Amino acid sequence: MRHPHTRTIHRRVAGALAAGLLCAAGFAAPAAAAPPADPPAPADGLALTPPMGFNNWNSTQCGADFDATMVQGIADLFVEKGLKDAGYRYVNLDDCWALPERDANGRLVPDPVRFPDGIKAVADYVHAKGLKLGIYTSAGTKTCSNTGFPGALGHEYDDARQFADWGVDYLKYDNCNNQGVDARQRYRTMRDALRATGRPIVYSICEWGENKPWEWAADVGHLWRTTGDISDNWSSMLSILKQNLPLAPYAGPGHWNDPDMLEVGNGGMTDTEYRSHFSLWSVMAAPLLIGTDLRKASRSTYDILGNKEVVAVDQDPLGRQGSVVSSAGGRWVIAKEMADGSRAVALFNESGTAQRIATDARAAGLPGARGYSVRDLWQHRTYNTAGTLAATVPAHGTVLLRVAADPRWAAHPPAVELGLDGGLLLTAATPATLTSTVTDLGGTPARQVSVALTGPAGWRVRATSPASAAVLTTGGTLRTGWRVTAPAGTPPGSYGLTLRAGYRSPSGTAETVQVPLTASVVVPPPSGTSYLGDLPWLSAVNGWGPVERDTSNGESAAGDGRPLTIGGTVYAKGLGVHALGDIAFYTGGACEQVTASVGVDDEKDAKGTVAFEILADDTKAAGTGVLTNAMPAQQLTADISGAQVIRLVVTDGGDGVDSDHADWANARLNC
Ligand code: GLA
């Protein structure tokens, strides 16, 4: 036991640090008590790096695909596709593996349809491949699925013994039907029961962060969920990221924050988003449990999950969870200290448009030096920098770097940053002007520099100033003007452009860098008053299903909403969204005001909490505090005079996106 007085002192010091971090990060985080300076980990040497493996839940839930054939198929693929070699070890069964009733002796019975030869046979199969087997139950009377399979409350020692006899190596212990018994007690009892078996079993606490396990579970389990369940969409991933980031001080070898399993490959996000998901989980030293059915996975899914350089960030033996260096306007810099003294640095763009994200080696925690090596972990290329770490990061993308104060830095080609000044909004047949920049970030010169901008077929793209330079020295920039014209009649919407630069390093190697950009073809807003729900939007991000026009958000398919209803009042017009929501409209400097009656839709139970914001060219023009399901509609009025673009943003009220159905009732625009 730690002396209570010592603990108080640690609390105060680390609390001040955490507060500084949160201010810099600029987001609301759960109030977390500070961790002990050196939390005791289970002294069993297990999970010294975050567990890696597979769990069926995110792909099958309790569906028929979940069976012994699947588990064996995954184990086979781990070996065949190099995932075992990349570090993936655990093949884990989630809920629904058992029959709903125990046998006459009180033992758990594997479902004979899913596991005809029992769990031991599956464990033997997995072990024969040099892999490990995980299982699931709940610290309650029943598990979480609606069917309700037997939980382990009151059966801890028998069930743990049973698992050990089957050869289980990992237990995920859920929180449903817990009968109100204190979580610490329930989770400690199972810890003791697992220890009593004498078998090394990784112990995964899954109480969704409800009892702040990061404050007490370092000597109970090897990992603990910090949030509610992830789902396969951008908003869910983002919301969980923001809840898990501030908990960085609590993670370490043998005791990890668990922001839930991976959704990579399940289809609800783009590959760019999945690369961000995987990069961010790795920088957070999160468990990497593959959540897709690998038997159906695409080449790009394997490329993401099998990226050993990214996995090495996650699995670094120092065991630090990366922390936020800066965060503003959706531009995140997250840095993770590595055992070799280098830093993994994620430049993550939360926003829906490409943005420049920049920091430097010192801010990322490295000592001062004349130059550094920079490894791009997705491009698999190494450059040098004089200190600046910067990139134009595509919407929802992440540039993941590993930066080191390397005495041989100058042997690598200089890093070159590509940028674009001026927005990519244009009206068909009207030329738009842009300026591209190519900047040498390296401590060595870039020679024979050239830049090209290409657009979709039929678009005219012309340089209006030189697009090449003989040499750029450190910090030097080639600026090039461009005229871009979309053909007459181009329908409003998003179109892809590519900015590319080529150069030669001092040793003569040819380098190319490129960034994908998105241009929006827009139409001017109508003059007078319009309902926003009747206008086309530039972009729309929504937590569940699509944004609905004139109905609430039904969560899945388009058109599945109900009448917009806040506090018993029904509205005929408006927009129905689900946190995290972000809808952008082009206003072209021609509009003055946005008004709306906002609130949580009555259709969900009392859990929904959201906050509304109206942004005019990324500046907050109006907003609410956190609104709950119990509150009546609140009137919002925003002065948006002169704005080119406005955004209607809904955040999650700080508690995750669950049940966050947000209505922009009567949302109107005056132009
Ligand atoms: C809870 C957990 C999930 C999953 C299901 C199974 O919701 O948080 O990860 O295990 O139960 O029913």
Side-chain angles (χ1 to χ4, degrees):
M1 270 275 313
R2 190 177 294 274
H3 191 281
H5 184 64
T6 324
R7 190 180 170 91
T8 318
I9 292 169
H10 288 318
R11 248 172 217 284
R12 221 176 281 133
V13 173
L17 289 175
L21 177 83
L22 295 185
C23 289
F27 57 85
D38 186 15
D44 53 18
L46 289 174
L48 294 180
T49 61
M52 291 178 67
F54 167 87
N55 173 300
N56 65 286
W57 183 254
N58 286 350
S59 63
T60 65
Q61 305 219 332
C62 298
D65 274 2
F66 173 43
D67 60 9
T69 309
M70 174 188 212
V71 176
Q72 291 168 1
I74 300 294
D76 294 347
L77 287 166
F78 266 23
V79 175
E80 279 164 31
K81 298 281 188 175
L83 292 171
K84 179 187 174 198
D85 188 40
Y88 294 92
R89 282 291 175 284
Y90 291 94
V91 182
N92 294 350
L93 319 184
D94 209 284
D95 202 353
C96 308
W97 60 266
L99 282 183
E101 301 301 334
R102 292 172 181 272
D103 71 11
N105 301 317
R107 295 227 186 95
L108 296 165
V109 187
D111 181 330
V113 175
R114 296 186 198 273
F115 297 99
D117 301 320
I119 301 299
K120 173 112 184 24
V122 180
D124 289 347
Y125 187 93
V126 166
H127 290 155
K129 303 230 153 204
L131 301 169
K132 293 180 180 296
L133 188 82
I135 208 161
Y136 161 102
T137 188
S138 178
T141 47
K142 283 187 178 303
T143 64
C144 292
S145 95
N146 292 338
T147 311
F149 298 95
L153 190 64
H155 297 264
E156 292 88 349
Y157 282 81
D158 290 343
D159 289 354
R161 184 73 260 158
Q162 177 77 81
F163 297 149
D165 289 347
W166 283 339
V168 164
D169 308 294
Y170 182 116
L171 173 66
K172 171 176 172 181
Y173 202 37
D174 216 335
N175 192 34
C176 291
N177 306 299
N178 59 48
Q179 311 303 318
V181 180
D182 179 62
R184 300 181 193 215
Q185 184 191 323
R186 286 181 292 118
Y187 284 94
R188 282 189 178 128
T189 307
M190 182 52 92
R191 171 199 64 187
D192 296 342
L194 291 172
R195 281 186 189 166
T197 67
R199 186 177 173 84
I201 298 178
V202 169
Y203 182 28
S204 154
I205 295 176
C206 177
E207 55 72 83
W208 324 304
E210 283 187 345
N211 305 280
K212 300 190 175 167
W214 46 90
E215 290 180 358
W216 52 265
D219 64 348
V220 180
H222 302 96
L223 60 157
W224 49 77
R225 282 273 296 278
T226 55
T227 71
D229 289 4
I230 195 168
S231 44
D232 183 24
N233 64 72
W234 171 251
S235 295
S236 169
M237 192 279 288
L238 192 61
S239 156
I240 287 178
L241 169 78
K242 291 180 183 183
Q243 295 171 72
N244 196 64
L245 277 170
L247 302 174
Y250 297 93
H255 51 98
W256 307 102
N257 291 316
D258 174 6
D260 208 359
M261 302 170 294
L262 298 168
E263 291 286 6
V264 176
N266 283 333
M269 291 184 247
T270 64
D271 282 346
T272 299
E273 292 169 341
Y274 283 138
R275 272 190 294 275
S276 285
H277 178 22
F278 196 66
S279 302
L280 293 163
W281 261 234
S282 293
V283 166
M284 292 194 297
L288 297 180
L289 293 169
I290 296 169
T292 198
D293 187 344
L294 290 170
R295 297 171 302 171
K296 303 172 191 160
S298 68
R299 168 83 198 274
S300 67
T301 295
Y302 278 105
D303 285 348
I304 295 172
L305 298 169
N307 186 329
K308 290 184 182 172
E309 294 199 83
V310 180
V311 167
V313 171
D314 183 80
Q315 293 292 302
D316 185 71
L318 188 62
R320 289 277 153 80
Q321 175 172 330
S323 56
V324 178
V325 174
S326 60
S327 163
R331 297 179 301 273
W332 294 80
V333 178
I334 305 164
K336 180 183 200 282
E337 183 182 358
M338 305 284 283
D340 65 359
S342 67
R343 295 293 186 281
V345 180
L347 309 177
F348 165 54
N349 182 4
E350 173 185 346
S351 81
T353 46
Q355 297 201 77
R356 175 175 200 255
I357 306 182
T359 185
D360 62 63
R362 297 288 292 274
L366 287 161
R370 278 193 52 224
Y372 304 83
S373 64
V374 187
R375 178 83 175 162
D376 184 318
L377 304 186
W378 288 107
Q379 301 296 326
H380 306 295
R381 305 276 306 161
T382 308
Y383 303 97
N384 84 71
T385 175
T388 302
L389 306 168
T392 297
V393 185
H396 295 186
T398 299
V399 168
L400 188 61
L401 306 172
R402 186 160 173 175
V403 190
D406 169 2
R408 294 195 63 254
W409 61 270
H412 303 293
V416 154
E417 181 196 352
L418 280 180
L420 197 67
D421 294 343
L424 278 170
L425 290 178
L426 31 128
T427 27
T430 311
T433 56
L434 303 168
T435 305
S436 68
T437 56
V438 182
T439 304
D440 180 9
L441 303 181
T444 54
R447 299 185 197 284
Q448 299 176 40
V449 181
S450 63
V451 62
L453 181 66
T454 49
W459 288 44
R460 277 195 305 154
V461 180
R462 194 162 64 78
T464 55
S465 65
S468 62
V471 62
L472 293 175
T473 52
T474 304
T477 296
L478 164 67
R479 300 180 72 82
T480 307
W482 302 91
R483 269 164 78 93
V484 179
T485 317
T490 306
S494 298
Y495 297 85
L497 277 73
T498 304
L499 184 62
R500 230 180 246 110
Y503 61 103
R504 285 192 181 270
S505 72
S507 64
T509 60
E511 306 295 327
T512 50
V513 278
Q514 65 176 58
V515 252
L517 301 164
T518 303
S520 298
V521 173
V522 295
V523 285
S527 56
T529 301
S530 324
Y531 285 107
L532 281 166
D534 295 341
L535 300 182
W537 52 62
L538 272 177
S539 63
V541 170
N542 199 50
W544 282 92
V547 173
E548 299 288 355
R549 298 179 188 273
D550 302 332
T551 71
S552 67
N553 178 267
E555 291 198 0
S556 343
D560 65 355
R562 281 169 267 207
L564 293 158
T565 313
I566 308 169
T569 307
V570 178
Y571 300 84
K573 301 294 289 179
L575 291 159
V577 311
H578 193 297
L580 306 172
D582 190 341
I583 319 170
F585 293 92
Y586 176 66
T587 46
C591 307
E592 294 86 47
Q593 202 182 50
V594 173
T595 54
S597 300
V598 298
V600 181
D601 195 278
D602 289 0
E603 74 187 330
K604 276 305 257 200
D605 55 30
K607 271 164 96 185
T609 57
V610 300
F612 293 78
E613 258 185 34
I614 299 173
L615 303 180
D617 287 339
D618 294 330
T619 303
K620 184 171 171 177
T624 67
V626 174
L627 303 184
T628 70
N629 189 279
M631 295 176 170
Q634 191 170 319
Q635 190 59 28
L636 267 188
T637 302
D639 176 359
I640 53 124
S641 309
Q644 291 294 317
V645 173
I646 58 156
R647 282 163 55 203
L648 307 186
V649 173
V650 173
T651 57
D652 67 5
D655 62 350
V657 298
D658 206 25
S659 301
D660 287 353
H661 290 216
D663 293 345
W664 294 90
N666 277 342
R668 270 181 285 223
L669 177 68
N670 293 312
C671 304

